[in-house]
Structure formats: C-alpha cells, structure tokens
Amino acid sequence: FGVGKKTTETQDIFLGGRTLKWPSIGFSIFGTNVSPVLLVGQFGVAYSTGIVGSNFEWLAWMFLMLLAMVFIPLYMKTKISTMPEFLLLRFGATCHSFLSYYVLFSILFLWLGASLYAGGIIISQVLDIPLWVSVVAVAIFATSFTATGGLKAVVRAEVFQSILIIASSTLLAVLAYIKIGSIENLKAGLPESYFTLLRPASDEQYPWHAIFLGYPVIAIWFFCTDQTIVQRVLAAKNQEQGQYGAIFTAFLKILMPFIFLVPGIMAFKLFPNLANSDHAYITMVVNVLPVGMVGLVVAAIIASLINTTASGLNSFTTIFSLDIYKKKINPDADEARIKRVGQIITLVGAFLAIFVAFMYAGAGKRLFDITQGIFSFVAPPMSAVFLLGVIWKKASSKAAEYVLIGGAVICITLGACFILDFPYKGYWPHFMLLSFYSFATLAVLMVVLSYVFPDNAEKALFPSLKEVYKENGKTSPLIWWLWAVIGTITVALYWVFN
C-alpha cells in the first residue's frame, strides 16, 4: 500500500518532503484554523451571543484525538498524499473521482472564499478602502506565495503567524479587561446567558442538544478528513510526530476562547451599538490597543489572512494536480509538468475564490453562521464514509459510492432548502440537528448496503485499524496521558462555565 510515494520534488511542493515535526504540525494546524474567518467570526458570535461559541473549540480535542489515534495510523500506513487518494485505495475509483471534485468545492467555499471575505472586511476597515480592492490584493499576495513556495513555505509562515496571533490577541484581551476594570463590571448589565456554555433546548440559536449531536459530524469531517487540515499531518516525519502535533493543537484550542470569544463579549460591553457584529474584532483593535500596537496587530492579521488563503490554495492545487490531472487527465505527466499545472491551478483557484468572497459579501448574515451552516451540510456524507471506512473493515465500495454521491446530493439539497426557507420559514429543525439526522441516516444506510453489496476478496485485503496497530507496536503511554490531561481540563472548564 505504498501508493502515495512521490519523488522528492512533488513531496516538497505538496507535503514538505514529509519531514515536519510536532511543533510545526501543531502550530500549522492552529494557524490554518486561526484564520481571519475565525477572528471575525468568533468575535462576532461572542459579541451577539456570548461564550456559547467556545463549545466549538473545547469539544475539538475529542476529534483531534480521533484523528491522532484512529485516522493517522491508517493514513501513514497507506502513504497517501490526499483524501481522495485514500478513498481510491479503500473504496475504488468512483469514490476517488467524486471526492476529488467535492473536496475542491469545499476548499473553495469554506477556506478560500470565506478567508478572502473575512480579510477583506478587516483590511477595508483599517485602510478605508473598498472591500473589493482588499479582497483582490490579498488574493494576489497569497497566490504568488503559494505558487512559488509550496507547503513548507506555508507551514513556516503559519508557525510565525500562530505565535504572533496568540501574543497580539492575548494583549488585546488584557488591555480590554483593564479598560473594563473587573469581572463584575464585565458581567453587569449583560444577559446571564452570555457566560453559559450550554443553552437550554428551547434556545433558537445554539441549543445544547444541537451542539452535542451536530458538532461531532462537523468535527469528524473538519479535523479527520478535510484536506487542508489533514495535509499537515500527512507531511509529518512519522506517525508519532503527527500524533504529538495533534495533541499540541488540542492544547492550543483550549486557549482560544479566552483570547477570541471573551474579548468579543468585552467588545459588546465597550461598544454595544455596532451595526454589524462582524466588525467587533477590528473595532476592538483600533479603539483598545495603543496606536503603536495597532500596526503590529494589523500585520498579524494580514499574515494570518495571506497564510490561510495560501494554505487553502495549496490544498486546492494538491487535489487538482495529484488526483485529477495526474490520475485522470495526463497519467504520463512528469514531475515538472505537474508542478507547472499546479501553479496555473493556483491562479484559477484564486480567481474563483474572489468570486465566492463577493457572494458572501451579499449574503447579509454573520460570517460564523454562514460557515457553520455550510459545514453542517457538506460534512455528513464525508464523515459517514470516512469513519466507517476506517473503523469497520466490512464497509464496502458500493455502499460508499451510494452514500458519498447520493448523500452529497441530498445534503446539499437540504442545505439549499434550509437557507431559502423552503417550503416555509420554521419548517426545518436547527441546522446542526439536521446535520446529525443526515449523518445518522447515511451511516445506517452504509451499514445496510455493505451487507447487501459486500466487497470481493481483493478489497478485503485493505488493512484494518487493528492490524495496523499490531504492526506498529505499542503506542507511547505519554500520548494517552496527554489526552487524559486535555480531557480533564475540558471537563473542569464545562463545570466552571455552567
């Protein structure tokens, strides 16, 4: 199963030569996650609803653990470069072909378009220039960065960006707290729900049961199967480095609500009359930080914006070059030609992302709600097929084809009906509940179809997770102890904030 082996040149541009160690992996995943979309989105949702958005960070450790302990061993064993390549090995050419295009769609809408739109909001406010000018400028910078440097250049920049974002956001939180004076002053006049993680089932925006049922569906897809995230782990020097990188990311996720969501609540306290909650972040930066510090933070934002966009472009290019061009269009292409095609596709991806960013600009909704809503309808078929494909050896190719392709059509149709309020407003349940119902239905369907259409003996040769662990030997006890520490901290946080 060494299908994913490439020459050094291809590894360097797409997977950094598979040489990354855990600090680079952890900071890179964090840097990819802590994008302008997150900065704008989390400040915005905290400004309007309080700390409830912390659920999306403090529950993430369980799915980073799933990535590290369940998915990484199989990914490393099969030596894949992309997620479609994994499905090619596990379920065959039909799933591979469909997923190649499906992943391009998700990267374009959820990474590139959203990042450009969020960054455009920030830069247009700071520099007082039209939104379209800032969006186009960032796309040009990110494109040139990605086309020439590859994944290693992206990762190096993401490590620097992560440290800068953590430092600047911590400073912003401290100065805002000093300006407010005390926790009592912060709480005074705010709804009690602003400091509650788990809202009642009757809450219209984020009821607790919708989060606990729907978030796992999104998180399995996002952390365990999304090309932009998983590509950092695939570039690890070995399995253990990849696992420690995921653990490091989980520790960083614990920090995020304190430097992104709590300051969003502070923004509501200090500037309660903003017309658009998505403007909360840059309003805090401009009005709370000393003049000399504003430039530093804006530099960190621009670095984050360019690197997140570059990261998405790199993944977009990797999928097209290795899974579509190399396997479908020109199987005989040499390494130099694949690299040239990748650079051209980087330009095409940037142009399409600009178009998507302008679509978001006209949506009239909070960025956090837009992205979480899209996540909820893209995730179910991916989560069902990948999860069962990894943990259950009897999951069959024909079942995966029906669930992946049919499920994608159904979920995108449901998403369109939900967004358009068809057949009428209030007809559909919460979007995260709808995501869970879709996932559960598709998972059951895949199990049933796997018995109806079992694989032949050749497909059954694909290694099971148990076989991979037996071959790799015993996992370091330190890895399990670190996950236990993260779980304990998370339980304590939920006790404190409820």
Side-chain angles (χ1 to χ4, degrees):
F1 286 93
V3 175
K5 291 183 178 179
K6 312 290 177 185
T7 68
T8 301
E9 185 178 7
T10 302
Q11 286 188 7
D12 284 345
I13 195 71
F14 296 126
L15 289 176
R18 299 188 191 267
T19 59
L20 297 186
K21 296 183 179 180
W22 68 264
S24 296
I25 295 168
F27 273 129
S28 182
I29 295 175
F30 181 81
T32 300
N33 194 198
V34 182
S35 64
V37 177
L38 185 137
L39 290 173
V40 171
Q42 288 209 344
F43 266 74
V45 76
Y47 184 93
S48 55
T49 63
I51 203 172
V52 66
S54 299
N55 286 290
F56 297 91
E57 307 304 327
W58 288 340
L59 293 176
W61 74 273
M62 291 183 285
F63 305 97
L64 285 163
M65 182 171 70
L66 187 68
L67 168 66
M69 312 314 294
V70 175
F71 284 85
I72 287 179
L74 266 178
Y75 289 161
M76 292 294 187
K77 170 66 177 176
T78 52
K79 293 183 171 64
I80 57 160
S81 298
T82 67
M83 296 296 94
E85 190 176 5
F86 178 78
L87 285 195
L88 176 64
L89 293 176
R90 181 65 178 91
F91 293 124
T94 302
C95 286
H96 169 269
S97 298
F98 179 80
L99 187 61
S100 298
Y101 294 101
Y102 195 64
V103 170
L104 288 181
F105 169 84
S106 65
I107 291 173
L108 182 63
F109 278 85
L110 297 174
W111 286 106
L112 296 175
S115 295
L116 285 181
Y117 173 55
I121 290 175
I122 294 171
I123 294 175
S124 64
Q125 282 186 278
V126 172
L127 301 181
D128 194 24
I129 59 176
L131 178 66
W132 73 267
V133 174
S134 59
V135 167
V136 171
V138 171
I140 291 172
F141 276 110
T143 301
S144 61
F145 186 66
T146 307
T148 57
L151 183 63
K152 270 192 175 179
V154 172
V155 169
R156 282 195 297 266
E158 282 173 338
V159 171
F160 172 76
Q161 163 207 323
S162 297
I163 295 171
L164 194 57
I165 287 289
I166 290 171
S168 60
S169 298
T170 301
L171 177 63
L172 180 62
V174 170
L175 292 178
Y177 180 77
I178 292 172
K179 197 175 183 73
I180 292 172
S182 66
I183 293 178
E184 289 71 23
N185 289 343
L186 176 60
K187 289 184 175 181
L190 292 180
E192 184 179 346
S193 61
Y194 262 57
F195 298 93
T196 303
L197 275 173
L198 302 180
R199 301 285 185 87
S202 58
D203 185 82
E204 293 185 0
Q205 292 188 305
Y206 292 104
W208 71 269
H209 66 300
I211 291 174
F212 273 76
L213 291 175
Y215 177 73
V217 180
I218 298 172
I220 291 171
W221 163 73
F222 185 79
F223 290 112
C224 302
T225 77
D226 181 72
Q227 178 69 27
T228 307
I229 295 294
V230 177
Q231 190 166 337
R232 276 91 190 121
V233 176
L234 298 180
K237 185 177 180 179
N238 53 47
Q239 177 177 306
E240 190 172 78
Q241 290 296 315
Q243 290 173 327
Y244 280 121
I247 291 170
F248 185 35
T249 303
F251 274 108
L252 293 174
K253 295 287 277 185
I254 292 173
L255 175 67
M256 288 172 65
F258 296 108
I259 60 176
F260 299 135
L261 282 145
V262 174
I265 299 174
M266 295 178 183
F268 181 75
K269 186 71 176 181
L270 295 171
F271 311 101
N273 299 314
L274 295 181
N276 187 341
S277 61
D278 282 341
H279 294 169
Y281 177 70
I282 200 62
T283 300
M284 286 280 280
V285 169
V286 172
N287 292 280
V288 172
L289 292 180
V291 174
M293 290 288 183
V294 173
L296 175 65
V297 174
V298 170
I301 296 168
I302 294 174
S304 171
L305 170 61
I306 292 175
N307 282 293
T308 300
T309 308
S311 176
L313 283 171
N314 184 266
S315 295
F316 187 89
T317 302
T318 301
I319 292 292
F320 185 90
S321 300
L322 301 185
D323 288 295
I324 296 176
Y325 182 76
K326 174 65 176 174
K327 287 187 170 64
K328 307 294 181 185
I329 300 174
N330 188 1
D332 298 324
D334 58 21
E335 300 298 328
R337 185 164 185 81
I338 293 173
K339 186 175 180 180
R340 286 197 300 274
V341 168
Q343 291 170 336
I344 294 171
I345 292 302
T346 300
L347 297 174
V348 174
F351 176 79
L352 293 174
I354 292 172
F355 176 75
V356 173
F358 291 145
M359 288 177 55
Y360 287 159
K365 295 184 178 181
R366 281 186 320 214
L367 182 60
F368 187 86
D369 292 337
I370 292 174
T371 54
Q372 291 300 321
I374 297 176
F375 286 169
S376 297
F377 297 111
V378 169
M382 290 276 286
S383 296
V385 169
F386 270 86
L387 183 62
L388 286 172
V390 167
I391 67 174
W392 189 42
K393 193 169 182 176
K394 290 184 179 180
S396 72
S397 301
K398 187 61 68 174
E401 291 173 16
Y402 284 128
V403 169
L404 188 62
I405 299 173
V409 172
I410 292 170
C411 288
I412 291 174
T413 302
L414 285 175
C417 292
F418 180 88
I419 292 171
L420 296 173
D421 292 322
F422 179 83
Y424 56 84
K425 190 171 184 178
Y427 178 83
W428 299 101
H430 191 278
F431 66 87
M432 296 189 78
L433 287 175
L434 198 53
S435 181
F436 169 74
Y437 298 150
S438 300
F439 168 80
T441 301
L442 292 174
V444 170
L445 180 63
M446 188 165 174
V447 171
V448 172
L449 290 176
S450 292
Y451 283 109
V452 175
F453 304 105
D455 276 333
N456 56 34
E458 182 180 351
K459 279 292 181 184
L461 293 175
F462 190 86
S464 68
L465 188 63
K466 181 179 179 180
E467 292 166 347
V468 171
Y469 262 100
K470 184 177 180 180
E471 181 180 328
N472 291 344
K474 190 176 181 180
T475 303
S476 169
L478 178 60
I479 291 176
W480 292 110
W481 277 109
L482 289 172
W483 285 122
V485 169
I486 295 171
T488 302
I489 293 172
T490 303
V491 170
L493 288 169
Y494 270 82
W495 181 79
V496 169
F497 285 97
N498 281 288

